[in-house]
Amino acid sequence: MGQMNRRTVRDLRRGNRSTLLRQLYFQGPVSRQELGTLTGLSSGSVSNVVGELLADALVEEAGSVESDGGRPRTLLRVAPGSGHLIGVDVGETHVRVELFDLMLTELARWEHPLTPGGLERDPEPVVGHILTGLEAVVAKSGAEPEAVIGVGVGVPGVVEQGDEVLVHGPTAGRDAVPLERLLRTGTDLPLFIDNGATAQGQAEMWFGAGRGADNAVIALIGSGVGAAIVTAGAPYRGATSSAGEWGHTVVQVGGRACRCGAVGCLEAYVGAQAVLDRYGRAARGDRTGAGGADGAGEGGADGAGEDQQAAFAAVVGAAGTEARAREVLEETAAYLGAGIADLINLFNPERIILGGWAGLLLGGRVLPRIRAATASYALHRPYAQTEIGLAELGPDAVALGAATLPLAHFLATGGAR
């Protein structure tokens, strides 16, 4: 019984630390009095926990404000330098590693190009690049390794959480990559691995266009197409963590071949390479749009990376003056609207947030057309209750989102190392 009571007291204290630390992180700087109002904790509990957080150097004073008729109130905030976070973006064409302070100010960055599909086909070199990047950003920033709270890794595909974290790729290649085990051969830092879209979605919910919403979908379009689904403030993962593969929902029965092996997937119509392929056919006067060899590989490998991004931006830019570019973007907006309507009809979100480097380029040019197409396919009432807008954290926010994975654990445990 005594052991149970000790455990209960310890858990209660950790819960109070977590509650206060979260409020200080997202609402700070705030005073002790404001913390009591925000958390519902007694003044004594607030005072005790704040004392612990100050003693642990996780919280620092940040000036003061005048109070009504009394002495000034001291403001408190999370100490940015009290720890470091690392976010790793394993994209389809690059590995990007970024080191942040505790308030997610970037302090160092390292990047290396990848052959598309490298993680699935040959994971060992990718793991080597990640480990090299970890060493590089720690050295470049001057951070002590023991000050790194954790490393978040965002990857394409399905991330199966269990006794061993396994990554199942979205295209043909090696399946069930034991990424955590492979990384453990070269680092002792705490690892948190998740789908890149889910990680970026969490960042948008915390710091970007999703703030204040409890139910949202962050739809990300780049070389691939994915989505982060948030319900009641938490990511929806499904039975085996594969929820969010929005790009592989079917928009055309018997349609274009997708790199996943199926046909008619949304990614084969709105992914960056799919748009470029259709534009190329339009330029040649080939407007058949049929599946088969012509559509193979769309949404993915060929021409990916900086060349793909530059080519895609050129098509979007040409839509103002060139008929065939405008036609391709109009068609893309129609397919995208149908895909977004599916999300609205299935999940009834408050917001649809369109992001990813290609999604932001498309949204910047044809967002009204995307909204109109969505309205024509979605049920009227849920569409009327949904805002459709653009992501705010930029086109390359996966590394930032990945850094929120260890940050979430840090806050949930009350700052435990």
Side-chain angles (χ1 to χ4, degrees):
M1 183 67 175
Q3 181 65 28
M4 182 180 295
N5 287 337
R6 282 195 295 274
R7 209 164 40 238
T8 301
V9 170
R10 183 172 64 246
D11 291 345
L12 179 61
R13 183 163 50 196
R14 185 173 69 175
N16 287 346
R17 278 177 64 103
S18 174
T19 298
L20 285 174
L21 195 59
R22 286 185 65 87
Q23 291 297 333
L24 284 164
Y25 193 89
F26 292 109
Q27 305 296 334
V30 293
S31 67
R32 289 171 174 81
Q33 291 84 350
E34 289 173 305
L35 281 172
T37 301
L38 289 168
T39 64
L41 296 175
S42 68
S43 59
S45 294
V46 170
S47 180
N48 289 337
V49 174
V50 166
E52 292 178 10
L53 295 173
L54 286 167
D56 293 341
L58 293 177
V59 169
E60 63 186 15
E61 294 184 354
S64 61
V65 292
E66 296 295 328
S67 61
D68 296 333
R71 61 183 182 180
R73 294 179 177 178
T74 300
L75 296 177
L76 303 166
R77 67 176 183 182
V78 171
S82 60
H84 296 89
L85 302 158
I86 296 178
V88 180
D89 171 13
V90 182
E92 301 203 24
T93 59
H94 64 263
V95 171
R96 181 180 298 120
V97 183
E98 298 178 35
L99 184 142
F100 305 86
D101 68 15
L102 197 54
M103 296 306 292
L104 292 176
T105 298
E106 183 184 315
L107 303 178
R109 174 186 291 219
W110 179 93
E111 189 165 345
H112 193 282
L114 286 182
T115 300
L119 181 61
E120 301 160 56
R121 294 180 173 86
D122 193 7
E124 284 76 12
V126 178
V127 168
H129 297 323
I130 295 172
L131 294 174
T132 298
L134 295 180
E135 293 180 1
V137 295
V138 170
K140 187 182 295 186
S141 67
E144 296 294 331
E146 57 268 22
V148 177
I149 292 167
V151 178
V153 184
V155 298
V158 176
V159 179
E160 183 179 347
Q161 307 286 350
D163 294 336
E164 182 175 48
V165 177
L166 301 174
V167 179
H168 305 275
T171 63
R174 179 175 172 180
D175 211 5
V177 175
L179 183 58
E180 183 179 22
R181 172 157 41 99
L182 293 173
L183 288 171
R184 277 282 163 247
T185 64
T187 183
D188 293 325
L189 294 172
L191 296 172
F192 302 82
I193 302 171
D194 210 335
N195 173 268
T198 300
Q200 187 171 349
Q202 179 164 270
E204 282 290 342
M205 293 300 292
W206 284 8
F207 309 113
R211 285 172 296 180
D214 288 327
N215 299 277
V217 179
I218 300 87
L220 302 172
I221 302 173
S223 297
V225 176
I229 302 161
V230 177
T231 61
Y236 176 74
R237 300 182 180 277
T240 58
S241 299
S242 69
E245 290 295 333
W246 176 53
H248 301 291
T249 56
V250 175
V251 294
Q252 178 67 60
V253 174
R256 299 183 188 278
C258 180
R259 58 185 178 148
C260 73
V263 296
C265 294
L266 178 66
E267 185 175 292
Y269 291 87
V270 305
Q273 191 60 42
V275 176
L276 292 175
D277 287 349
R278 289 207 317 280
Y279 176 74
R281 278 192 294 275
R284 296 191 305 267
D286 174 8
R287 300 170 185 269
T288 60
D294 232 6
E298 295 204 31
D302 296 338
E306 292 183 3
D307 289 346
Q308 185 191 61
Q309 294 191 27
F312 190 90
V315 173
V316 172
T321 57
E322 186 181 293
R324 66 175 179 268
R326 184 164 53 251
E327 179 183 345
V328 167
L329 289 199
E330 289 278 324
E331 183 183 42
T332 302
Y335 280 115
L336 189 50
I340 291 174
D342 288 343
L343 294 174
I344 291 173
N345 292 345
L346 282 170
F347 298 107
N348 186 211
E350 300 166 66
R351 296 178 196 169
I352 298 284
I353 299 163
L354 183 60
W357 64 265
L360 289 173
L361 284 169
L362 283 171
R365 171 65 68 173
V366 293
L367 185 59
R369 179 70 184 92
I370 292 170
R371 287 171 174 155
T374 303
S376 68
Y377 291 110
L379 293 171
H380 173 72
R381 182 60 178 165
Y383 170 78
Q385 297 171 321
T386 304
E387 299 176 13
I388 301 175
L390 300 182
E392 295 178 357
L393 298 182
D396 298 311
V398 174
L400 175 67
T404 69
L405 302 175
L407 174 60
H409 182 265
F410 182 75
L411 296 176
T413 58
R417 299 282 182 171

